[in-house]
Amino acid sequence: MWTLAVVSLTSVMGGRFYNQPQLDVDTVAPQTVRAPFDALVEDSKTTAERRKEAQRGAQPVLMIDQSVTERISQNLEKSLDAVEELRTKSGVFPFVKTDVLSIPTQRYLRQSKEWEWRAILAFSDIDNHVNGFDSEAKLPTPAENSLNVAFVQAVSELQSYRQQSSEQEFSALIESISAARQQYAQVLPELSEYLSPEFSSLDDVSVLDLSDQDWQKTRIVIKQAASRILTQGIVPGLPQNLIQKAVKVNLISLMPQEAQPLAKYLLVRVLEPNLIENKELTKLIAEQAAEKVEPMMVSVRQGDVIVTEGETITQTDFVLLDYFDLSRRGINWLGLMGFGGLVTTTVGIFALVQRRVHPKWRRRDYILVLLLTLSMPISILFKSPFSYTMPAIGLLVGNFYGSTMGVTVVGLLTGLVTFSMEVTGEQALANVAGGLLGALMAGRMRSREELALLGVGVGLTQGVVSLIINLIISATASTIWSAVLPGALLFGLSGLAWSIVALGLSPYLERLFDLVTPIRLAELSNPNRPLLKRLATEAPGTFQHTLFVASLAEAAAQELRCNVELVRAGTLYHDIGKMHDPLGFIENQMGGPNKHDQINDPFKSAEIIKKHVTEGLVMARKHQLPKAVRDFIPEHQGKLLISYFYFQAQQKAQLEGTGSVDESYFRYDGPIPQSQETGVVMLADACEAALRSLKEVTPETALTVVNKILKARWQDNQLVDSGLTRQDLSKIAQVFIKVWQQYNHQRIAYPKGALNCQSSAK
């Protein structure tokens, strides 16, 4: 089997080693080779490489990411709203009429420091001695004063207004200036906090000195500039200085000069790359560029030297050699042997896991797994990712042999296929995901309906994995609907289809390879099965005996962690042979005359008793019961002695003086139990009649009876091949007593009056 597995897997998967040239590129020519005739040959490899280069060299097609553009616009709107809120807090500007104070003076008065403001008041209050200044003092000229021009201008305008207006009007003006200064001073910290440190060197307060009309114009220009820049698009990786240059070009001469620094700052802060690659269009253009590449043709005339002896063969030389069948193609035995070594290692790993998990595999089990494994590389040869059988392999192996074997087969097969055959990453990942899910969960399924639901899960898993992989590769929303989603849907449907195939094949494979899966055992344990219905009708006593034995055996199997499903099915069929002569067994006589009393021949009676084993096997084969279930029929009796008729024969022989009786004639033919499951059923069958007959006894007494029966089976060497230990027998005895107590629990004794009331009610 090992050799068959290695040879078959290597042969199917190692196809690339079958037709390899000896005179390949970069090898040395052993002799001079000339062209036998004129030829014009395409160098398909070089052509393909050039087309790939053309594809790689195609410029990516960029498209605007609307989500990024919308986010930038929203951030810009928030920034403008924040600045407008600060302007509102700082008060209206200009805060007095411009015929009273000029715009530059109003701007200076709001921004000036406190000591400057006090000095301005002192110079402006000519009629009163304010703050120690002489009322006859004259304002120095700008050239004579260290104070700036704005200071002189502010004092001059205030003095002029003071002379032209009343005392009340002048006081109102001073109060307006003080209020404007106070509001302005409160807003300055908030504005500084809002602006970043690199903006502090600019005239960051100029925006507060704009009129409402200029501010609204500024706001519109900023948004228009942002819209133009975003419409043109900002490529990823664009240097910051180029973004600043683009902002400057779009803002110049479109807004008040004093608003431009803040406008530039706000735009540069919110702008970010909003162009992304349109992968579909880029791919289309790359393909078109590849199609434009002309095929690379190699020409040669008859008699021309293709390659000279001792020269290294180039790609052009190889194209001609291969065209003229001079490249000496053949099997690459070294490469094939190396791949065979890899396959051997993989099969060895599988064998180690199998020996640990299922040490009693039959040859047919190896053949089934090998056939399922070979289906995957064969399906790959069809060049369609939707024909891959990995989901079916995972479901079937997991269902037949358990999750561990299923995951092992899927994992090892994936490694071999990925290494040796042309499979893309998307195909491999999607199929291995579906196969692993099927392998992990199939062994836990207990009905065909559950297995069908698992098939739906396998299909969904394949589709989701394919979708995720393609979403990682593709970034555009249009790609999802036009290519990614349909491809993922096809992957999902292929996984579902192979799950349906696995579900449909599983009953036939179970019969053909004689497998006992949990699902098949559950189906066989259905009391509506024809054979069990016959047993209940033709041998009702035996059927009731079977049900009690099943209760005992299942409880013991669960305690010992045996195959409970197998024990249940095996117990239900272990006595079907009694249907050949139901009245030959006391449980079916229902108090009537004993058939064996009429026969009065212990040898014939023993033959009737023993025959229920052979007849049971005949019935089991006729109804195609699996061998694991059929084994319960002979092994539950082992080679036990039919003691009643054996002693009867001995007594008869003594009376007749015919000599000794051959004990082997009164023993079952066996074999003795070969597994824990059949051993448990033997013990349950032996204790059933004794426990059923015990009524008014204590559990301790019942345990003594059970232990005595189990000890007898042990001493009779009926359990030596079963794998059961003396400690297991103690556990089994305790379990049997628990089940017996549940069947023989005490009931409430109704008083006679209550029974009379029930009778009268009727």
Side-chain angles (χ1 to χ4, degrees), residues 48-83:
E49 289 176 352
R50 289 186 176 182
R51 287 175 176 170
K52 285 183 179 179
E53 289 178 2
Q55 284 182 323
R56 288 193 295 265
Q59 292 294 325
V61 179
L62 301 178
M63 60 182 294
I64 292 178
D65 189 339
Q66 293 298 334
S67 62
V68 176
T69 302
E70 290 176 5
R71 185 175 68 247
I72 294 173
S73 299
Q74 291 172 0
N75 292 338
L76 181 61
E77 191 71 28
K78 290 179 181 178
S79 298
L80 293 173
D81 289 342
V83 173

Side-chain angles (χ1 to χ4, degrees), residues 652-663:
K652 189 174 181 180
Q654 290 176 359
L655 291 175
E656 297 176 357
T658 56
S660 61
V661 178
D662 186 4
E663 181 183 300

Side-chain angles (χ1 to χ4, degrees), residues 416-465:
L416 281 178
V417 166
T418 305
F419 174 80
S420 62
M421 308 189 78
E422 294 182 2
V423 182
T424 65
E426 176 194 359
Q427 298 165 359
L429 289 175
N431 279 278
V432 75
L436 286 176
L437 177 64
L440 282 170
M441 301 302 297
R444 304 178 186 180
M445 302 295 102
R446 292 298 181 267
S447 67
R448 305 289 176 189
E449 291 79 7
E450 292 180 351
L451 204 60
L453 288 176
L454 177 59
V456 175
V458 169
L460 286 174
T461 300
Q462 283 204 177
V464 169
V465 171

Side-chain angles (χ1 to χ4, degrees), residues 36-167:
F37 51 84
D38 295 349
L40 180 64
V41 187
E42 179 185 354
D43 185 352
S44 57
K45 182 178 180 181
T46 303
T47 302
E49 289 176 352
R50 289 186 176 182
R51 287 175 176 170
K52 285 183 179 179
E53 289 178 2
Q55 284 182 323
R56 288 193 295 265
Q59 292 294 325
V61 179
L62 301 178
M63 60 182 294
I64 292 178
D65 189 339
Q66 293 298 334
S67 62
V68 176
T69 302
E70 290 176 5
R71 185 175 68 247
I72 294 173
S73 299
Q74 291 172 0
N75 292 338
L76 181 61
E77 191 71 28
K78 290 179 181 178
S79 298
L80 293 173
D81 289 342
V83 173
E84 185 157 354
E85 183 179 354
L86 292 174
R87 280 177 46 82
T88 302
K89 290 182 180 180
S90 67
V92 179
F93 187 86
F95 49 88
V96 296
K97 294 180 179 181
T98 56
D99 57 352
V100 176
L101 294 175
S102 64
I103 293 293
T105 297
Q106 292 190 45
R107 182 180 298 117
Y108 172 72
L109 290 175
R110 280 208 313 177
Q111 297 178 3
S112 61
K113 294 182 173 56
E114 183 62 24
W115 68 268
E116 291 181 278
W117 170 237
R118 292 175 63 83
I120 290 171
L121 287 176
F123 277 108
S124 301
D125 195 4
I126 298 174
D127 293 339
N128 299 300
H129 296 281
V130 181
N131 295 327
F133 284 90
D134 188 353
S135 60
E136 295 182 358
K138 294 183 178 180
L139 187 67
T141 63
E144 299 172 335
N145 200 338
S146 60
L147 299 177
N148 56 37
V149 176
F151 179 89
V152 175
Q153 181 68 26
V155 171
S156 177
E157 290 185 15
L158 285 173
Q159 286 179 344
S160 175
Y161 183 76
R162 176 74 183 84
Q163 294 172 359
Q164 298 173 6
S165 62
S166 65
E167 187 70 26

Side-chain angles (χ1 to χ4, degrees), residues 351-406:
L352 289 175
V353 176
Q354 175 262 314
R355 292 291 176 86
R356 186 176 183 86
V357 179
H358 291 288
K360 294 184 179 180
W361 263 23
R362 305 157 299 171
R363 185 175 299 171
R364 66 184 66 187
D365 296 316
Y366 292 108
I367 293 175
L368 175 58
V369 173
L370 178 59
L371 291 175
L372 292 175
T373 302
L374 287 172
S375 68
M376 181 62 181
I378 291 174
S379 68
I380 295 177
L381 298 178
F382 289 99
K383 304 295 184 180
S384 172
F386 309 115
S387 65
Y388 296 169
T389 62
M390 190 67 81
I393 295 172
L395 278 169
L396 291 173
V397 178
N399 183 32
F400 293 162
Y401 303 109
S403 300
T404 302
M405 294 307 303

Side-chain angles (χ1 to χ4, degrees), residues 168-182:
Q168 291 80 10
E169 290 175 334
F170 183 73
S171 298
L173 174 61
I174 298 302
E175 290 179 1
S176 298
I177 297 173
S178 299
R181 285 176 53 79
Q182 185 177 4

Side-chain angles (χ1 to χ4, degrees), residues 280 386 426 462-464 466-471 474 476-493:
E280 283 187 333
F386 309 115
E426 176 194 359
Q462 283 204 177
V464 169
S466 175
L467 181 62
I468 292 174
I469 294 173
N470 280 283
L471 285 178
S474 303
T476 62
S478 60
T479 303
I480 298 176
W481 300 106
S482 63
V484 174
L485 195 59
L489 183 61
L490 286 175
F491 261 106
L493 290 176

